[in-house]
Amino acid sequence: MNEKSTELVFVYNANSGARNAILDSMHKVFSPSTYQCSLCDITFGIVSENKEWKKFREESNIQMDFLHKDEFAQQIGNQVAEKYSLPIVLVKENEGLRVLVETKELNQLESAKNLIDLIQKRT
């Protein structure tokens, strides 16, 4: 796959908005074992973006779109969005979307470096 033409769509298992961001941060602090978005955990700390992830994102030639689950459903329609388990990393292709990293894999990753390595290997 040509890296320059690759477009990835990262979909968080969290809703958009400042209020939701605050609630998510509190959830990460007080009950991390029940937090439902491993992608959020990997790419963001409690209050800011993971430094290693941010560096990769800013220096990569890969186009990346980041959506919360409500934004994703709004963009592609609820019926299509419901077919995907979240969080997920998708590749945007002419025919639509293809799974690059599924929820189960994201849940097993332990760090931003693990996610970066996986993306680099698969793109």
Side-chain angles (χ1 to χ4, degrees), residues 60-83:
S60 177
N61 291 326
I62 301 171
Q63 183 177 340
M64 299 180 205
D65 293 324
F66 297 88
L67 300 171
H68 293 88
K69 64 182 174 183
D70 56 324
E71 298 163 330
F72 180 62
Q74 189 174 31
Q75 251 186 36
I76 68 166
N78 283 329
Q79 286 186 320
V80 177
E82 287 173 359
K83 294 178 184 177

PDB file of all heavy atoms in Angstrom, residues 60-83:
ATOM      1  N   SER A  60       4.087  11.592  10.301  1.00  0.00           N
ATOM      2  CA  SER A  60       3.697  10.569   9.339  1.00  0.00           C
ATOM      3  C   SER A  60       3.156  11.179   8.051  1.00  0.00           C
ATOM      4  O   SER A  60       2.559  12.249   8.057  1.00  0.00           O
ATOM      5  CB  SER A  60       2.622   9.675   9.964  1.00  0.00           C
ATOM      6  OG  SER A  60       2.182   8.724   9.033  1.00  0.00           O
ATOM      7  N   ASN A  61       3.362  10.461   6.942  1.00  0.00           N
ATOM      8  CA  ASN A  61       2.775  10.851   5.662  1.00  0.00           C
ATOM      9  C   ASN A  61       1.360  10.310   5.507  1.00  0.00           C
ATOM     10  O   ASN A  61       0.697  10.572   4.518  1.00  0.00           O
ATOM     11  CB  ASN A  61       3.635  10.333   4.501  1.00  0.00           C
ATOM     12  CG  ASN A  61       4.966  11.040   4.429  1.00  0.00           C
ATOM     13  OD1 ASN A  61       5.067  12.219   4.732  1.00  0.00           O
ATOM     14  ND2 ASN A  61       5.999  10.309   4.053  1.00  0.00           N
ATOM     15  N   ILE A  62       0.930   9.524   6.459  1.00  0.00           N
ATOM     16  CA  ILE A  62      -0.393   8.921   6.408  1.00  0.00           C
ATOM     17  C   ILE A  62      -1.426   9.963   6.830  1.00  0.00           C
ATOM     18  O   ILE A  62      -1.275  10.610   7.866  1.00  0.00           O
ATOM     19  CB  ILE A  62      -0.492   7.707   7.359  1.00  0.00           C
ATOM     20  CG1 ILE A  62       0.548   6.641   6.995  1.00  0.00           C
ATOM     21  CG2 ILE A  62      -1.898   7.122   7.346  1.00  0.00           C
ATOM     22  CD1 ILE A  62       0.665   5.523   8.012  1.00  0.00           C
ATOM     23  N   GLN A  63      -2.475  10.097   6.026  1.00  0.00           N
ATOM     24  CA  GLN A  63      -3.572  10.984   6.416  1.00  0.00           C
ATOM     25  C   GLN A  63      -4.400  10.265   7.461  1.00  0.00           C
ATOM     26  O   GLN A  63      -4.741   9.081   7.300  1.00  0.00           O
ATOM     27  CB  GLN A  63      -4.441  11.337   5.215  1.00  0.00           C
ATOM     28  CG  GLN A  63      -5.539  12.309   5.577  1.00  0.00           C
ATOM     29  CD  GLN A  63      -6.362  12.729   4.382  1.00  0.00           C
ATOM     30  OE1 GLN A  63      -5.949  12.619   3.248  1.00  0.00           O
ATOM     31  NE2 GLN A  63      -7.558  13.205   4.652  1.00  0.00           N
ATOM     32  N   MET A  64      -4.711  10.955   8.548  1.00  0.00           N
ATOM     33  CA  MET A  64      -5.450  10.348   9.650  1.00  0.00           C
ATOM     34  C   MET A  64      -6.638  11.210  10.029  1.00  0.00           C
ATOM     35  O   MET A  64      -6.505  12.418  10.199  1.00  0.00           O
ATOM     36  CB  MET A  64      -4.540  10.192  10.872  1.00  0.00           C
ATOM     37  CG  MET A  64      -3.338   9.317  10.653  1.00  0.00           C
ATOM     38  SD  MET A  64      -2.335   9.212  12.160  1.00  0.00           S
ATOM     39  CE  MET A  64      -0.741   8.826  11.454  1.00  0.00           C
ATOM     40  N   ASP A  65      -7.781  10.554  10.130  1.00  0.00           N
ATOM     41  CA  ASP A  65      -8.994  11.210  10.612  1.00  0.00           C
ATOM     42  C   ASP A  65      -9.361  10.562  11.939  1.00  0.00           C
ATOM     43  O   ASP A  65      -9.298   9.338  12.072  1.00  0.00           O
ATOM     44  CB  ASP A  65     -10.154  11.039   9.624  1.00  0.00           C
ATOM     45  CG  ASP A  65      -9.918  11.775   8.324  1.00  0.00           C
ATOM     46  OD1 ASP A  65      -9.331  12.873   8.342  1.00  0.00           O
ATOM     47  OD2 ASP A  65     -10.320  11.251   7.274  1.00  0.00           O
ATOM     48  N   PHE A  66      -9.754  11.381  12.906  1.00  0.00           N
ATOM     49  CA  PHE A  66     -10.117  10.889  14.229  1.00  0.00           C
ATOM     50  C   PHE A  66     -11.564  11.266  14.512  1.00  0.00           C
ATOM     51  O   PHE A  66     -11.932  12.438  14.448  1.00  0.00           O
ATOM     52  CB  PHE A  66      -9.191  11.490  15.293  1.00  0.00           C
ATOM     53  CG  PHE A  66      -7.760  11.079  15.097  1.00  0.00           C
ATOM     54  CD1 PHE A  66      -6.918  11.810  14.271  1.00  0.00           C
ATOM     55  CD2 PHE A  66      -7.261   9.943  15.704  1.00  0.00           C
ATOM     56  CE1 PHE A  66      -5.602  11.424  14.064  1.00  0.00           C
ATOM     57  CE2 PHE A  66      -5.945   9.538  15.506  1.00  0.00           C
ATOM     58  CZ  PHE A  66      -5.123  10.286  14.686  1.00  0.00           C
ATOM     59  N   LEU A  67     -12.378  10.255  14.785  1.00  0.00           N
ATOM     60  CA  LEU A  67     -13.799  10.475  15.021  1.00  0.00           C
ATOM     61  C   LEU A  67     -14.231   9.807  16.318  1.00  0.00           C
ATOM     62  O   LEU A  67     -13.738   8.737  16.674  1.00  0.00           O
ATOM     63  CB  LEU A  67     -14.627   9.876  13.877  1.00  0.00           C
ATOM     64  CG  LEU A  67     -14.370  10.421  12.476  1.00  0.00           C
ATOM     65  CD1 LEU A  67     -15.102   9.572  11.445  1.00  0.00           C
ATOM     66  CD2 LEU A  67     -14.801  11.878  12.381  1.00  0.00           C
ATOM     67  N   HIS A  68     -15.162  10.460  17.005  1.00  0.00           N
ATOM     68  CA  HIS A  68     -15.823   9.827  18.136  1.00  0.00           C
ATOM     69  C   HIS A  68     -16.988   9.016  17.573  1.00  0.00           C
ATOM     70  O   HIS A  68     -17.406   9.231  16.439  1.00  0.00           O
ATOM     71  CB  HIS A  68     -16.319  10.894  19.111  1.00  0.00           C
ATOM     72  CG  HIS A  68     -15.218  11.631  19.771  1.00  0.00           C
ATOM     73  ND1 HIS A  68     -14.657  12.757  19.220  1.00  0.00           N
ATOM     74  CD2 HIS A  68     -14.554  11.389  20.923  1.00  0.00           C
ATOM     75  CE1 HIS A  68     -13.690  13.183  20.019  1.00  0.00           C
ATOM     76  NE2 HIS A  68     -13.611  12.366  21.064  1.00  0.00           N
ATOM     77  N   LYS A  69     -17.530   8.112  18.361  1.00  0.00           N
ATOM     78  CA  LYS A  69     -18.566   7.215  17.830  1.00  0.00           C
ATOM     79  C   LYS A  69     -19.788   7.965  17.322  1.00  0.00           C
ATOM     80  O   LYS A  69     -20.372   7.579  16.314  1.00  0.00           O
ATOM     81  CB  LYS A  69     -18.940   6.129  18.833  1.00  0.00           C
ATOM     82  CG  LYS A  69     -19.578   6.590  20.118  1.00  0.00           C
ATOM     83  CD  LYS A  69     -19.840   5.378  21.017  1.00  0.00           C
ATOM     84  CE  LYS A  69     -20.355   5.786  22.372  1.00  0.00           C
ATOM     85  NZ  LYS A  69     -20.521   4.620  23.232  1.00  0.00           N
ATOM     86  N   ASP A  70     -20.182   9.064  17.960  1.00  0.00           N
ATOM     87  CA  ASP A  70     -21.336   9.827  17.473  1.00  0.00           C
ATOM     88  C   ASP A  70     -21.027  10.511  16.142  1.00  0.00           C
ATOM     89  O   ASP A  70     -21.875  10.572  15.246  1.00  0.00           O
ATOM     90  CB  ASP A  70     -21.839  10.827  18.520  1.00  0.00           C
ATOM     91  CG  ASP A  70     -20.776  11.802  19.003  1.00  0.00           C
ATOM     92  OD1 ASP A  70     -19.592  11.408  19.125  1.00  0.00           O
ATOM     93  OD2 ASP A  70     -21.122  12.971  19.285  1.00  0.00           O
ATOM     94  N   GLU A  71     -19.801  11.002  15.967  1.00  0.00           N
ATOM     95  CA  GLU A  71     -19.390  11.640  14.714  1.00  0.00           C
ATOM     96  C   GLU A  71     -19.302  10.613  13.584  1.00  0.00           C
ATOM     97  O   GLU A  71     -19.696  10.882  12.449  1.00  0.00           O
ATOM     98  CB  GLU A  71     -18.030  12.328  14.892  1.00  0.00           C
ATOM     99  CG  GLU A  71     -18.042  13.432  15.924  1.00  0.00           C
ATOM    100  CD  GLU A  71     -16.653  13.821  16.402  1.00  0.00           C
ATOM    101  OE1 GLU A  71     -15.740  12.960  16.431  1.00  0.00           O
ATOM    102  OE2 GLU A  71     -16.479  14.989  16.765  1.00  0.00           O
ATOM    103  N   PHE A  72     -18.786   9.432  13.901  1.00  0.00           N
ATOM    104  CA  PHE A  72     -18.665   8.347  12.933  1.00  0.00           C
ATOM    105  C   PHE A  72     -20.050   7.939  12.432  1.00  0.00           C
ATOM    106  O   PHE A  72     -20.279   7.821  11.221  1.00  0.00           O
ATOM    107  CB  PHE A  72     -17.945   7.167  13.592  1.00  0.00           C
ATOM    108  CG  PHE A  72     -17.737   5.961  12.715  1.00  0.00           C
ATOM    109  CD1 PHE A  72     -16.976   6.045  11.564  1.00  0.00           C
ATOM    110  CD2 PHE A  72     -18.268   4.736  13.075  1.00  0.00           C
ATOM    111  CE1 PHE A  72     -16.759   4.923  10.762  1.00  0.00           C
ATOM    112  CE2 PHE A  72     -18.055   3.598  12.294  1.00  0.00           C
ATOM    113  CZ  PHE A  72     -17.301   3.708  11.129  1.00  0.00           C
ATOM    114  N   ALA A  73     -20.985   7.747  13.349  1.00  0.00           N
ATOM    115  CA  ALA A  73     -22.350   7.365  12.979  1.00  0.00           C
ATOM    116  C   ALA A  73     -22.997   8.449  12.122  1.00  0.00           C
ATOM    117  O   ALA A  73     -23.698   8.144  11.146  1.00  0.00           O
ATOM    118  CB  ALA A  73     -23.178   7.105  14.228  1.00  0.00           C
ATOM    119  N   GLN A  74     -22.732   9.693  12.453  1.00  0.00           N
ATOM    120  CA  GLN A  74     -23.298  10.808  11.689  1.00  0.00           C
ATOM    121  C   GLN A  74     -22.727  10.832  10.268  1.00  0.00           C
ATOM    122  O   GLN A  74     -23.443  11.091   9.311  1.00  0.00           O
ATOM    123  CB  GLN A  74     -23.004  12.123  12.412  1.00  0.00           C
ATOM    124  CG  GLN A  74     -23.708  13.318  11.838  1.00  0.00           C
ATOM    125  CD  GLN A  74     -23.485  14.554  12.688  1.00  0.00           C
ATOM    126  OE1 GLN A  74     -22.445  14.718  13.327  1.00  0.00           O
ATOM    127  NE2 GLN A  74     -24.467  15.441  12.713  1.00  0.00           N
ATOM    128  N   GLN A  75     -21.436  10.536  10.139  1.00  0.00           N
ATOM    129  CA  GLN A  75     -20.778  10.570   8.823  1.00  0.00           C
ATOM    130  C   GLN A  75     -21.196   9.431   7.913  1.00  0.00           C
ATOM    131  O   GLN A  75     -21.406   9.635   6.728  1.00  0.00           O
ATOM    132  CB  GLN A  75     -19.253  10.529   8.991  1.00  0.00           C
ATOM    133  CG  GLN A  75     -18.605  11.817   8.661  1.00  0.00           C
ATOM    134  CD  GLN A  75     -17.085  11.696   8.691  1.00  0.00           C
ATOM    135  OE1 GLN A  75     -16.505  10.683   8.317  1.00  0.00           O
ATOM    136  NE2 GLN A  75     -16.451  12.747   9.146  1.00  0.00           N
ATOM    137  N   ILE A  76     -21.281   8.221   8.452  1.00  0.00           N
ATOM    138  CA  ILE A  76     -21.542   7.078   7.571  1.00  0.00           C
ATOM    139  C   ILE A  76     -22.940   6.482   7.732  1.00  0.00           C
ATOM    140  O   ILE A  76     -23.296   5.566   7.009  1.00  0.00           O
ATOM    141  CB  ILE A  76     -20.482   5.964   7.718  1.00  0.00           C
ATOM    142  CG1 ILE A  76     -20.562   5.284   9.082  1.00  0.00           C
ATOM    143  CG2 ILE A  76     -19.091   6.480   7.460  1.00  0.00           C
ATOM    144  CD1 ILE A  76     -19.792   3.998   9.135  1.00  0.00           C
ATOM    145  N   GLY A  77     -23.679   6.987   8.687  1.00  0.00           N
ATOM    146  CA  GLY A  77     -25.024   6.476   8.926  1.00  0.00           C
ATOM    147  C   GLY A  77     -25.031   5.468  10.058  1.00  0.00           C
ATOM    148  O   GLY A  77     -24.107   4.660  10.185  1.00  0.00           O
ATOM    149  N   ASN A  78     -26.075   5.509  10.861  1.00  0.00           N
ATOM    150  CA  ASN A  78     -26.172   4.629  12.035  1.00  0.00           C
ATOM    151  C   ASN A  78     -26.139   3.153  11.676  1.00  0.00           C
ATOM    152  O   ASN A  78     -25.488   2.367  12.349  1.00  0.00           O
ATOM    153  CB  ASN A  78     -27.458   4.922  12.822  1.00  0.00           C
ATOM    154  CG  ASN A  78     -27.332   6.180  13.651  1.00  0.00           C
ATOM    155  OD1 ASN A  78     -26.249   6.528  14.108  1.00  0.00           O
ATOM    156  ND2 ASN A  78     -28.442   6.869  13.832  1.00  0.00           N
ATOM    157  N   GLN A  79     -26.839   2.756  10.611  1.00  0.00           N
ATOM    158  CA  GLN A  79     -26.902   1.334  10.261  1.00  0.00           C
ATOM    159  C   GLN A  79     -25.534   0.786   9.880  1.00  0.00           C
ATOM    160  O   GLN A  79     -25.194  -0.335  10.247  1.00  0.00           O
ATOM    161  CB  GLN A  79     -27.905   1.101   9.136  1.00  0.00           C
ATOM    162  CG  GLN A  79     -29.339   1.205   9.608  1.00  0.00           C
ATOM    163  CD  GLN A  79     -30.316   0.839   8.507  1.00  0.00           C
ATOM    164  OE1 GLN A  79     -30.123   1.204   7.354  1.00  0.00           O
ATOM    165  NE2 GLN A  79     -31.356   0.115   8.874  1.00  0.00           N
ATOM    166  N   VAL A  80     -24.759   1.555   9.152  1.00  0.00           N
ATOM    167  CA  VAL A  80     -23.412   1.119   8.773  1.00  0.00           C
ATOM    168  C   VAL A  80     -22.503   1.152  10.005  1.00  0.00           C
ATOM    169  O   VAL A  80     -21.750   0.209  10.264  1.00  0.00           O
ATOM    170  CB  VAL A  80     -22.831   1.996   7.640  1.00  0.00           C
ATOM    171  CG1 VAL A  80     -21.405   1.586   7.306  1.00  0.00           C
ATOM    172  CG2 VAL A  80     -23.710   1.921   6.402  1.00  0.00           C
ATOM    173  N   ALA A  81     -22.574   2.222  10.785  1.00  0.00           N
ATOM    174  CA  ALA A  81     -21.727   2.369  11.973  1.00  0.00           C
ATOM    175  C   ALA A  81     -21.946   1.227  12.959  1.00  0.00           C
ATOM    176  O   ALA A  81     -20.990   0.752  13.588  1.00  0.00           O
ATOM    177  CB  ALA A  81     -21.990   3.714  12.643  1.00  0.00           C
ATOM    178  N   GLU A  82     -23.181   0.765  13.086  1.00  0.00           N
ATOM    179  CA  GLU A  82     -23.502  -0.301  14.037  1.00  0.00           C
ATOM    180  C   GLU A  82     -22.846  -1.636  13.685  1.00  0.00           C
ATOM    181  O   GLU A  82     -22.747  -2.518  14.528  1.00  0.00           O
ATOM    182  CB  GLU A  82     -25.023  -0.482  14.132  1.00  0.00           C
ATOM    183  CG  GLU A  82     -25.699   0.644  14.876  1.00  0.00           C
ATOM    184  CD  GLU A  82     -27.217   0.563  14.830  1.00  0.00           C
ATOM    185  OE1 GLU A  82     -27.756  -0.375  14.199  1.00  0.00           O
ATOM    186  OE2 GLU A  82     -27.853   1.440  15.429  1.00  0.00           O
ATOM    187  N   LYS A  83     -22.369  -1.776  12.452  1.00  0.00           N
ATOM    188  CA  LYS A  83     -21.715  -3.017  12.028  1.00  0.00           C
ATOM    189  C   LYS A  83     -20.292  -3.137  12.582  1.00  0.00           C
ATOM    190  O   LYS A  83     -19.695  -4.197  12.534  1.00  0.00           O
ATOM    191  CB  LYS A  83     -21.671  -3.100  10.498  1.00  0.00           C
ATOM    192  CG  LYS A  83     -23.044  -3.226   9.879  1.00  0.00           C
ATOM    193  CD  LYS A  83     -22.962  -3.254   8.375  1.00  0.00           C
ATOM    194  CE  LYS A  83     -24.363  -3.293   7.769  1.00  0.00           C
ATOM    195  NZ  LYS A  83     -24.337  -3.253   6.322  1.00  0.00           N
TER     196      LYS A  83
END
